[in-house]
Amino acid sequence: MADFKKTDSYDQDIKNENYLPEADDYDQGLGVVLPQSLVNLSEEELAAINKRVTRKIDWLIMPAMVILYILNYLDRQNIASARLAGLTEDLNLTVVQYQTCISVLFAGYIAFQVPSNMIVAKIKYPALYICIACALWGIVSAGTGLVQNYSHLVVCRCILGIVEAVFFPGAIYFLSCWYTRGQFAFRCAVLYSGSQIGNAFGGLLAIAILKMDGLAGLEGWRWLFILEGLVTVVLGLACILVLPNTPATAKRLSQVERDALIYRLEAEKGAKDNSDQIGVGRALWMAIVDVKTWLMCGILFFTYVAAAVTNFFPSVVGTLGYSRNITYCLTAPPYLICVVCIMLNGMHSDKTGDRYWHVVLPLGVTMIANVIAVSTLSTAGRYVAMCLMPASFYSSAIVTLSWISGSASGSAVKRACVLSLINALCNTPNIWTSYLYKNAPRYLVAFSVNLAASVVAICFATAALFYLKKENAKIERGDDLGSSGPTPQQIAGGFKYPL
């Protein structure tokens, strides 16, 4: 029987998607027992089942989640395309009123993330909850195409933010219920690619839809909201038929495959999840008093300050001086480059088990991009900066999210609270950064703030690295880490904070 407190290969094994502990490793009072259906299988058979399970859940979950995230971003960001198509002129919006319409969405988005994720962590049908929310925000988005004035637009954007608050923190938590820490960064990158695909093709889709300008007496930007909203409703409801809710109820997996998946997830934590025994209030308090929560929050917060440029990306690219359609086309390549970069960064982070350098090095590129943006107004220089920005700060963000999930020791409901609390706080820059993007075409204040934010994010990542190293040293010495640390079962299972 392996002693996981002393096994040197544990850290490497846990990175491997085929990781599955030996039959007796968790029978000694640690709360996880090898299911009877797996007892008589050889190690080769267990490994084959484990690999098959990973492949199946990838195909069951990831395509649908990516589609939902594409829709999430299209319906949130299409106001930027609508602005170039005459939204502000038709509704007589001032610059400040348009900026308010951007920021008010995030007021509802931020306020409802934590309570929504508390619900996700407690209900039996999290996938159903997420899909219904998708259909609802599609309805709101379609309704935005019927607004007649500034007040109507503000109300629609606020409601859209409330309903969309369900998705991203809920999706990150949902994925953490299906994948181990060693698999998470790449799957997070795959999920995040949905937002970048939405950004990349949102402008190109807008070109096609805006040709409907005047049809049925409606402006093209109205059709943009209406059609994209209706597509969201249809696909959101269709995903209900595809997405499984929990590993225990995944009908497309055999009983043996379900047992292997559940055992793998529980064995990594070192114990069965005790979320049913922990109230959401206590779980939230445990998340708040955990130092790791605030160190990780600092990294993501300042990364998202720099990333807020995406809310104005078509407008910033528009300062290059091209026509509206060319500007839409020019917004696509930076996000396509971003998809490739976040995939590679997430995959390499999972393969090496490293989090810190995969967070810090991309942020260094973000710094360089903002230096270029501040220093020049040349078309080539500005466009290079635009290409570097999303690829760098989103590559960093997806590994940070994986680092957060891997460091959130304790119950699943606490992990849900940590993820939603951090994501809620880290989206607050979207409220105030929108007011920085003025004085075009230079946007000197905005790009200067982005540069400073990148530096501060690196400082927080470095502080988190040293703190987690210190915590791992305490685990090795057998010191008490208190309620914010891993449980005794997790420690006995060889738990270490990812670095």
Side-chain angles (χ1 to χ4, degrees):
M1 180 180 69
D3 183 352
F4 273 75
K5 293 184 72 175
K6 299 178 181 178
T7 299
D8 294 334
S9 64
Y10 174 79
D11 287 340
Q12 184 60 40
D13 290 340
I14 205 72
K15 298 171 192 172
N16 192 315
E17 69 173 19
N18 296 325
Y19 165 74
L20 196 58
E22 297 176 13
D24 294 334
D25 287 332
Y26 292 93
D27 291 350
Q28 307 300 313
L30 298 183
V32 180
V33 179
L34 187 72
Q36 191 62 37
S37 61
L38 306 179
V39 169
N40 296 322
L41 299 178
S42 67
E43 291 184 8
E44 291 77 12
E45 289 172 324
L46 288 173
I49 291 173
N50 209 31
K51 182 175 290 188
R52 185 169 69 247
V53 167
T54 299
R55 185 168 58 250
K56 277 192 174 184
I57 60 176
D58 278 343
W59 283 107
L60 279 174
I61 293 174
M62 296 312 305
M65 296 304 289
V66 169
I67 289 171
L68 291 178
Y69 204 9
I70 291 173
L71 299 173
N72 183 270
Y73 241 70
L74 279 178
D75 291 336
R76 188 192 314 175
Q77 300 293 94
N78 55 13
I79 190 173
S81 297
R83 183 190 190 189
L84 293 180
L87 168 74
T88 53
E89 292 81 4
D90 292 339
L91 298 183
N92 297 314
L93 302 181
T94 66
V95 172
V96 173
Q97 286 176 329
Y98 174 77
Q99 291 169 331
T100 301
C101 290
I102 294 290
S103 62
V104 75
L105 177 142
F106 291 98
Y109 186 75
I110 291 163
F112 282 84
Q113 283 193 25
V114 174
S116 175
N117 245 32
M118 288 179 172
I119 294 172
V120 169
K122 284 290 187 178
I123 61 177
K124 294 181 179 180
Y125 305 102
L128 177 64
Y129 176 73
I130 291 171
C131 291
I132 289 176
C134 177
L136 290 176
W137 85 59
I139 293 172
V140 175
S141 181
T144 306
L146 304 177
V147 301
Q148 298 300 318
N149 53 48
Y150 168 66
S151 298
H152 293 170
L153 184 59
V154 166
V155 170
C156 282
R157 294 289 291 177
C158 186
I159 297 174
L160 183 65
I162 292 172
V163 185
E164 285 203 349
V166 172
F167 182 74
F168 188 69
I172 294 295
Y173 169 76
F174 182 71
L175 292 184
S176 73
C177 295
W178 291 85
Y179 294 103
T180 64
R181 284 182 293 160
Q183 301 171 321
F184 194 74
F186 178 63
R187 272 71 186 187
C188 190
V190 173
L191 173 68
Y192 227 95
S193 71
S195 66
Q196 306 317 304
I197 293 170
N199 277 325
F201 293 103
L204 301 180
L205 183 61
I207 293 175
I209 295 178
L210 291 175
K211 290 181 179 179
M212 299 174 65
D213 186 38
L215 182 65
L218 298 177
E219 294 88 346
W221 63 264
R222 293 186 185 277
W223 282 113
L224 185 66
F225 285 115
I226 293 170
L227 292 184
E228 289 184 356
L230 292 177
V231 169
T232 298
V233 174
V234 172
L235 292 180
L237 295 177
C239 284
I240 293 175
L241 305 176
V242 177
L243 281 174
N245 284 286
T246 65
T249 59
K251 295 181 180 179
R252 291 178 175 84
L253 298 180
S254 68
Q255 185 61 52
V256 171
E257 290 169 339
R258 285 196 295 270
D259 289 344
L261 175 59
I262 294 169
Y263 177 64
R264 180 177 71 190
L265 295 167
E266 291 178 346
E268 185 193 49
K269 294 192 291 284
K272 293 179 180 295
D273 182 64
N274 61 345
S275 292
D276 292 339
Q277 302 170 20
I278 297 179
V280 292
R282 182 186 170 197
L284 179 59
W285 177 248
M286 291 169 67
I288 291 173
V289 299
D290 192 337
V291 174
K292 299 187 297 295
T293 300
W294 303 107
L295 288 173
M296 296 295 172
C297 185
I299 304 171
L300 200 61
F301 180 90
F302 288 100
T303 301
Y304 280 177
V305 170
V309 67
T310 57
N311 292 323
F312 281 79
F313 210 68
S315 297
V316 174
V317 175
T319 63
L320 298 178
Y322 294 100
S323 66
R324 186 184 74 184
N325 284 355
I326 295 297
T327 296
Y328 284 143
C329 292
L330 287 175
T331 61
Y335 289 115
L336 295 177
I337 293 170
C338 179
V339 170
V340 175
C341 289
I342 63 177
M343 292 285 196
L344 292 176
N345 198 48
M347 185 184 301
H348 194 260
S349 178
D350 275 348
K351 183 178 180 179
T352 61
D354 172 84
R355 298 302 187 229
Y356 173 76
W357 289 109
H358 288 79
V359 168
V360 167
L361 292 180
L363 286 173
V365 178
T366 303
M367 291 171 56
I368 294 171
N370 281 284
V371 168
I372 296 172
V374 166
S375 304
T376 182
L377 286 176
S378 73
T379 300
R382 264 295 173 91
Y383 193 63
V384 167
M386 295 298 101
C387 288
L388 291 176
M389 284 180 189
S392 58
F393 51 63
Y394 283 135
S395 289
S396 176
I398 62 100
V399 177
T400 301
L401 289 166
S402 179
W403 203 4
I404 293 168
S405 181
S407 300
S409 53
S411 68
V413 67
K414 181 201 171 186
R415 185 170 71 253
C417 289
V418 169
L419 289 167
S420 58
L421 178 63
I422 290 177
N423 200 59
L425 293 173
C426 292
N427 271 283
T428 55
N430 288 298
I431 296 177
W432 55 269
T433 52
S434 62
Y435 298 99
L436 300 177
Y437 288 86
K438 52 188 177 181
N439 299 323
R442 196 160 199 93
Y443 295 115
L444 180 62
V445 173
F447 289 129
S448 299
V449 169
N450 294 347
L451 174 59
S454 304
V455 176
V456 177
I458 291 174
C459 293
F460 266 99
T462 303
L465 175 68
F466 282 104
Y467 180 82
L468 293 178
K469 282 185 175 180
K470 184 179 178 181
E471 294 297 286
N472 282 342
K474 289 181 179 180
I475 293 173
E476 291 177 358
R477 292 195 303 266
D479 295 348
D480 182 16
L481 274 68
S483 61
S484 296
T487 65
Q489 292 87 351
Q490 289 174 326
I491 293 173
F495 179 89
K496 294 290 182 61
Y497 290 110
L499 304 174

